[in-house]
Amino acid sequence: MFGNLKTQPADKILQLMGQFKADPRTDKIDLGVGVYKDATGLTPVMRAVKAAERQLWETETTKTYTGLAGDPDFNAALSSLVLGDALAADRLSSVATPGGTGAVRQAFELVRMASPEARVWVSDPTWPNHLSILKYLGLPVEPYRYFDGDTRAVDFGAMMADLAVTKPGDVVLLHGCCHNPTGANLTLPEWAEVAALLEKTGAIPMIDIAYQGFGDGLDADAAGMRLIVERLPEVLIAASCSKNFGIYRERTGALMALSDPAKREVTQGTLAFLNRQNYSFPPDHGARLVTMILTDPALRADWQAELEAVRLGMLALREQLATELRTLSGSDRFGFLAQHRGMFSRLGASPEQVERLKMEHGIYMVGDSRLNIAGLNTKTVPVLARAILAVGI
């Protein structure tokens, strides 16, 4: 049987990580991997997470299963964080998942079960794993234009033109905030136009929100998504706690589905069924930490303060890099770096220029020129700026 297996395509980011580790240069810079790093290059455990873990270690009395949908308190707490005032309990179904990727996978499984012929519209570009999972599941995929390679901003007119031909039952995948890989995001008025268009075409929005709190703040980052929830009858949301709680390896996320109240019970049952078919019970440790933090005023305040410091630190690095490049180049063509939000920006370099950055300067980024702003610090920003210009970007 195993003789029939074929070599699978290697994950380019994981390949890049291996190359970086093998590089003996001591001044190398890793801007490829998609995790937050502080100024020392560490992905730290947040203070509130450490405190919650200490409490949990003292008070937890069992490691038995929770439920197919996960702990109800976790689903309630995370749904409240994500949806805010848009939360309508009579419309909401929710299950815990192994990270945001698990939520994305379960959402696509739900789409395939409910409407196997549905086309899933994805931004060009998008997170590569979106496309990989869709291909594996055999769901039809349609790209919609999103990123203007010249301005490095959202090409909103082209996006709306492409989505105008969506049909009832189609699914439109949107990034809730901090678009990966470009860093270019919709404005709130643009979100309103998208909502109006989807109301007209009957397509169903699916929102992947993996970086809430990394862009303009917890509520601002969710504002567009909440507008969609309030205006559309059916919405899917894949939420991740990996980044904003810093619990990457705990695999903590949730899939939420907003539906007609009359369909809520069957929708909730279907989500639980899909969990059972995939991994039965979702992991609980990270979910329990998140629940403790969100429901304890002191822990929540400390978590939000640290998250805000992370966000402001990334914005400061963006401003510093844009300013450094403006000074060195004598132009504002890199101003988009200060306008983007989240960990990522697409630089607009060619694959050859990206390769030169790696070989000549020890600077590693993904081949499409996505760079992780959080991989920088105040000392390496000038190094990157000089290298960017040296390779002709």
Side-chain angles (χ1 to χ4, degrees):
M1 179 176 65
F2 295 156
N4 295 325
L5 297 178
K6 299 178 180 178
T7 301
Q8 299 301 312
D11 185 289
K12 294 180 180 179
I13 295 177
L14 296 181
Q15 273 189 321
L16 193 69
M17 289 172 59
Q19 294 171 7
F20 179 81
K21 288 181 180 179
D23 190 333
R25 287 174 286 186
T26 58
D27 58 349
K28 60 188 178 181
I29 302 173
D30 180 10
L31 305 180
V33 67
V35 300
Y36 170 77
K37 297 180 181 180
D38 63 16
T40 68
L42 178 69
T43 301
V45 180
M46 297 181 82
R47 296 187 301 266
V49 171
K50 273 289 190 186
E53 284 188 312
R54 283 191 290 268
Q55 290 183 24
L56 185 60
W57 187 80
E58 292 286 352
T59 60
E60 190 173 43
T61 59
T62 181
K63 290 289 188 181
T64 192
Y65 298 122
T66 52
L68 291 178
D71 185 346
D73 290 342
F74 167 70
N75 283 299
L78 189 61
S79 297
S80 178
L81 177 72
V82 170
L83 295 173
D85 293 338
L87 175 60
D90 62 339
R91 295 180 59 205
L92 176 66
S93 302
S94 179
V95 291
T97 60
T101 303
V104 168
R105 171 63 183 265
Q106 294 298 74
F108 290 154
E109 292 276 12
L110 181 68
V111 170
R112 185 171 67 166
M113 173 183 283
S115 183
E117 304 304 318
R119 297 179 298 174
V120 181
W121 293 75
V122 300
S123 65
D124 181 15
T126 191
W127 180 48
N129 216 22
H130 286 150
L131 299 173
S132 178
I133 296 171
L134 286 166
K135 180 180 178 181
Y136 179 77
L137 292 176
L139 284 167
V141 178
E142 294 286 348
Y144 62 85
R145 288 171 289 173
Y146 182 84
F147 187 65
D148 186 321
D150 293 327
T151 64
R152 275 80 150 185
V154 176
D155 190 346
F156 189 66
M159 173 183 175
M160 293 293 282
D162 289 349
L163 294 182
V165 302
T166 58
K167 298 177 180 179
D170 282 356
V171 174
V172 176
L173 178 57
L174 301 161
H175 295 229
C177 64
C178 305
H179 186 274
N180 180 5
T182 69
N185 300 288
L186 299 175
T187 64
L188 195 56
E190 288 171 342
W191 276 102
E193 290 190 49
V194 171
L197 179 63
L198 298 183
E199 283 180 310
K200 179 181 178 181
T201 67
I204 299 168
M206 174 180 161
I207 301 169
D208 185 357
I209 183 160
Y211 302 95
Q212 186 182 359
F214 268 34
D216 291 308
L218 283 167
D219 289 325
D221 287 348
M225 175 187 57
R226 292 171 182 175
L227 185 152
I228 290 281
V229 167
E230 289 173 340
R231 292 184 54 173
L232 276 295
E234 294 184 340
V235 183
L236 290 168
I237 299 170
S240 172
C241 300
S242 295
K243 286 80 178 178
N244 53 9
F245 287 88
I247 51 174
Y248 297 86
R249 66 176 61 172
E250 302 296 351
R251 310 312 302 135
T252 306
L255 172 59
M256 304 168 200
L258 285 301
S259 65
D260 185 292
K263 297 294 184 182
R264 197 204 72 81
E265 186 175 348
V266 68
T267 303
Q268 181 65 54
T270 301
L271 294 181
F273 170 82
L274 288 172
N275 269 14
R276 181 60 164 166
Q277 307 317 302
N278 197 333
Y279 40 76
S280 281
F281 302 93
D284 180 69
H285 184 73
R288 197 157 296 272
L289 297 176
V290 168
T291 306
M292 293 171 68
I293 291 167
L294 292 179
T295 56
D296 181 292
L299 289 176
R300 182 166 183 151
D302 191 34
W303 167 68
Q304 288 188 196
E306 188 169 3
L307 178 60
E308 182 68 359
V310 166
R311 183 183 76 85
L312 294 176
M314 287 189 289
L315 286 180
L317 289 170
R318 287 186 173 280
E319 292 283 355
Q320 183 189 356
L321 181 57
T323 299
E324 191 78 23
L325 284 164
R326 183 183 304 115
T327 300
L328 293 175
S329 69
S331 78
D332 288 321
R333 71 179 188 273
F334 296 101
F336 65 88
L337 290 165
Q339 301 303 315
H340 289 174
R341 289 294 183 268
M343 289 200 301
F344 305 119
S345 277
R346 178 175 274 192
L347 198 55
S350 68
E352 293 76 20
Q353 290 168 326
V354 171
E355 184 67 15
R356 285 186 62 194
L357 284 172
K358 179 176 69 175
M359 300 304 294
E360 298 174 19
H361 301 275
I363 296 172
Y364 286 72
M365 65 180 66
V366 181
D368 64 0
S369 76
R370 185 197 80 170
L371 63 91
N372 181 358
I373 292 292
L376 293 167
N377 58 48
T378 55
K379 293 181 180 179
T380 56
V381 164
V383 176
L384 174 62
R386 289 192 295 270
I388 285 172
L389 296 178
V391 301
I393 300 173

